[in-house]
Amino acid sequence: MTSPALASQAPALAPRRGLFADLPVLAVAVVWGGSYLAAKGITTAHTVVAVLVLRFALVLPVLVVAGRRRLRALAPAQLRGAGVLGLVLGGIFLLETYGVVHTSATNAGLIISLTMIFTPLAEAAVRRTAPSPAFLGAAAVSVAGVVLLTQGAGFAAPGLGDLLILGAALARTLHVLLMARIKAVQDADSLSLTTVQLGAAVLVFAVLATLPGTGATPWEAAADFGAAEWAGLAFLSVFCTLFAFFVQMWAVRATSPSRVSLLLGTEPLWAAAAGIAIGGEHLGPAGLAGVVLVLAGTAWGRRAAG
């Protein structure tokens, strides 16, 4: 799952486009695509909050140690702004993780890609400007793809998981808009900003874990984990969070932000590939047509918005 906290990019230096710079970024897109299947494999409706606590609590100390000097340099306004973003981030991960428990990894990865459509539409609404006809066409294609994708064997209302993932896509859009409008965080160091956001999100998960009715505690979930579950958790924590963040920090200096965005935009393709090839998910003709439309619509939308 793509972490919205990792969206802030450092200024790019002179681009050095080439295979050496592209491969690590493409690897991030691949592991993010696989994260939906990994989360589905280690999480149940009873352990969502516990798994989120474990996932981010494992990596947070590493980020704190790596950026401790820059963390101390954050102004109070920057801390408050990052904290607000972290609360939204916590909501995103809750919606995504509960959603992927109740739908397929393929659906989750493709529906969440609608963020690429929702964000420019929201920006246009805030600025009171009309999107281009090309972008509206791309949005229509993407939405039609999601409709086909979520139907399974016949036309019916989307399932609970699909709606939760759709909510996560809308929450991601809110996160992006807030990052662009909370002035205090706009010049903040990206590592510090990510660390504070994840810290606020972990605090949300930890508080929820103490409340009745929110499922197993982190300790109970960890005690029930076998080797496969610990491997899945390590994949989500180490590769989908730490590895992804540091590759992005490096990549925007080794290549261009637009090229990084383009490569990371292949995440839905890898989510579908993992769900079908590894997870054994079956889409049927309507679902496969939906995959094609979502991928085509979001790719068209990125070009139209650019």
Side-chain angles (χ1 to χ4, degrees):
M1 304 173 189
T2 308
S3 174
L6 308 184
S8 60
Q9 303 290 358
L13 301 182
R16 297 197 306 273
R17 298 180 180 180
L19 188 63
F20 176 74
D22 287 348
L23 281 179
V25 181
L26 188 60
V28 170
V30 172
V31 298
W32 275 347
S35 67
Y36 300 94
L37 188 61
K40 190 172 182 66
I42 68 171
T43 313
T44 68
H46 188 63
T47 62
V48 166
V49 174
V51 167
L52 287 171
V53 171
L54 293 170
R55 174 182 174 179
F56 294 109
L58 286 176
V59 300
L60 191 59
V62 178
L63 294 175
V64 170
V65 171
R68 58 190 181 280
R69 293 181 180 176
R70 285 170 285 185
L71 277 171
R72 287 196 293 265
L74 289 177
Q78 293 175 319
L79 286 170
R80 288 192 298 270
V84 170
L85 291 172
L87 296 179
V88 178
L89 182 65
I92 292 168
F93 277 113
L94 285 167
L95 288 167
E96 282 187 352
T97 311
Y98 274 113
V100 81
V101 167
H102 295 289
T103 189
S104 68
T106 303
N107 279 23
L110 290 163
I111 294 172
I112 202 69
S113 71
L114 289 179
T115 304
M116 290 181 276
I117 297 296
F118 292 157
T119 302
L121 288 175
E123 284 279 10
V126 169
R127 295 176 180 176
R128 298 183 180 180
T129 59
S132 69
F135 186 82
L136 291 176
V141 169
S142 298
V143 171
V146 168
V147 170
L148 289 174
L149 181 69
T150 59
Q151 296 315 303
F155 284 92
L160 173 62
D162 300 321
L163 294 175
L164 289 171
I165 297 294
L166 186 63
L170 292 169
R172 282 192 183 198
T173 299
L174 173 62
H175 188 269
V176 173
L177 293 179
L178 288 174
M179 286 191 71
R181 281 162 178 77
I182 298 178
K183 294 182 179 180
V185 304
Q186 291 175 10
D187 58 351
D189 169 69
S190 57
L191 175 57
S192 301
L193 180 60
T194 298
T195 303
V196 175
Q197 286 188 77
L198 289 182
V202 169
L203 182 60
V204 170
F205 306 146
V207 170
L208 288 176
T210 66
L211 301 179
T214 54
T217 67
W219 322 115
E220 292 169 339
D224 289 337
F225 275 5
E229 287 78 14
W230 280 113
L233 186 66
F235 175 77
L236 291 170
S237 298
V238 176
F239 289 98
C240 299
T241 307
L242 280 183
F243 169 75
F245 173 75
F246 286 109
V247 165
Q248 283 188 101
M249 286 192 68
W250 166 80
V252 293
R253 291 170 169 84
T255 181
S256 67
S258 59
R259 193 170 182 85
V260 170
S261 178
L262 181 64
L263 291 167
L264 293 180
T266 64
E267 177 196 346
L269 175 62
W270 302 112
I276 295 169
I278 301 174
E281 297 175 353
H282 302 286
L283 297 176
L288 290 172
V291 169
V292 172
L293 289 179
V294 170
L295 294 174
T298 51
W300 183 15
R302 285 198 304 273
R303 290 195 299 272

